[in-house]
Amino acid sequence: MTFRARHLLGIEHLAPEEIRTVLDLAEKYVELNQRTVKQADSLKGMTQINMFFEASTRTQASFELAGKRLGADVMNMAMQHSSVKKGETLIDTALTLNAMHPDLLVVRHPASGAVDLLAQKVNCAVLNAGDGRHEHPTQALLDALTIRRAKGRIQRLTVAICGDIAHSRVARSNLILLGKMENRIRLIGPPTLMPSGVRDLGCEVYEDMREGLKDCDVVMMLRLQKERMDGGFIPSEREYYHRYGLDAEKLAYAKEDAIVMHPGPMNRGVEIDGELADDINRSVIQDQVEMGVAVRMACMDLLARNLRAERGRQAAGVMV
Ligand code: NCD
């Protein structure tokens, strides 16, 4: 088993064999999560603190559940009531929490790079639960596990990532992961929602949805990240749905067995047709949520092993 990382800050830092290690271990946790008694002791005695400076439903709930199923003491900081409101900086908050000796810190923050910065200031393992438009590594890993289970592999697939790519950390982490695993990636969306320098990313770029979806194995839809937009990026939601909303008619251009994904939260009737999102023959959106818990268990388990090993080495060093 190869997994060297001390923190999980981004897919950028992971080697393909480390990604495979996470997915393989997550498979074991998928199985555990389907039992009536869902208890393991990989994090027994450890303390996990979740700090979410941005709204979250799936990610926060699944990190909490993942920690509890692995036996950790889990604390959710209510950031809207914390001293951050009184002007305390992210780093001061982190240092305060660090003094309470957590072992795992799960952080979501609206500023790209904030989680990396924080990781340099604390002694525990830090997991990035999404920082600005930068990375959302556990989302890309859970997407990879969902794809691997549906398609039987995570290589040599044609994957379309559609919609608001410019503002999406989900798109960015997926792009990096799918690229590392040697897939063909297509980015589909209006030019206003494409990141700058998109032509240098090594993907195919399409403005036309039907053209871009042709022969795809996987269709990944994204939410319009309105909270990260200042000004008009799209003419209207109605017009956007007409051109870029995924419905059965557009999906028919992809392969017959293509799967539909969405990280949630979904805007039904804006980026995806509600009926298609619920169609269990095409949509794996609920599987993504299920894989989310297992993948987060695997990530925290692997980081905890490395943390224990590091502390063991430090203790041995002190004794000699
Ligand atoms: C995503 C996020 O927060 O980046 N959601 C999630 O983690 N499931 C995507 C989004 O907010 O659109």
Side-chain angles (χ1 to χ4, degrees), residues 52 54-60 108 129-132 135-136 138-139 142 167-171 221-225 227-228 262-267 271 296:
F52 281 68
E54 243 188 26
S56 173
T57 309
R58 276 148 287 267
T59 309
Q60 183 163 1
R108 167 170 286 191
D131 64 324
E135 279 239 34
H136 192 352
T138 54
Q139 180 70 44
L142 76 87
H167 300 101
S168 175
R169 54 196 176 208
V170 174
M221 301 310 297
L222 299 170
R223 181 177 66 88
L224 284 174
Q225 307 263 311
E227 71 277 25
R228 296 187 219 288
H262 194 303
M266 260 188 286
N267 292 307
E271 68 259 355
R296 290 174 176 123

Side-chain angles (χ1 to χ4, degrees), residues 50-68:
N50 297 336
M51 286 165 80
F52 281 68
F53 295 88
E54 243 188 26
S56 173
T57 309
R58 276 148 287 267
T59 309
Q60 183 163 1
S62 61
F63 263 116
E64 181 177 354
L65 213 48
K68 287 182 172 162

Side-chain angles (χ1 to χ4, degrees), residues 1 5 29 43 76 78 97 108 138 166 171 201 223 227 240 270:
M1 244 212 244
Y29 286 125
L43 299 184
N76 287 306
L97 291 175
R108 167 170 286 191
T138 54
L201 293 174
R223 181 177 66 88
E227 71 277 25
Y240 182 81
V270 178

Side-chain angles (χ1 to χ4, degrees), residues 115-126:
V115 185
D116 292 49
L117 185 70
L118 187 144
Q120 294 163 25
K121 309 279 177 192
V122 295
N123 311 319
C124 57
V126 176

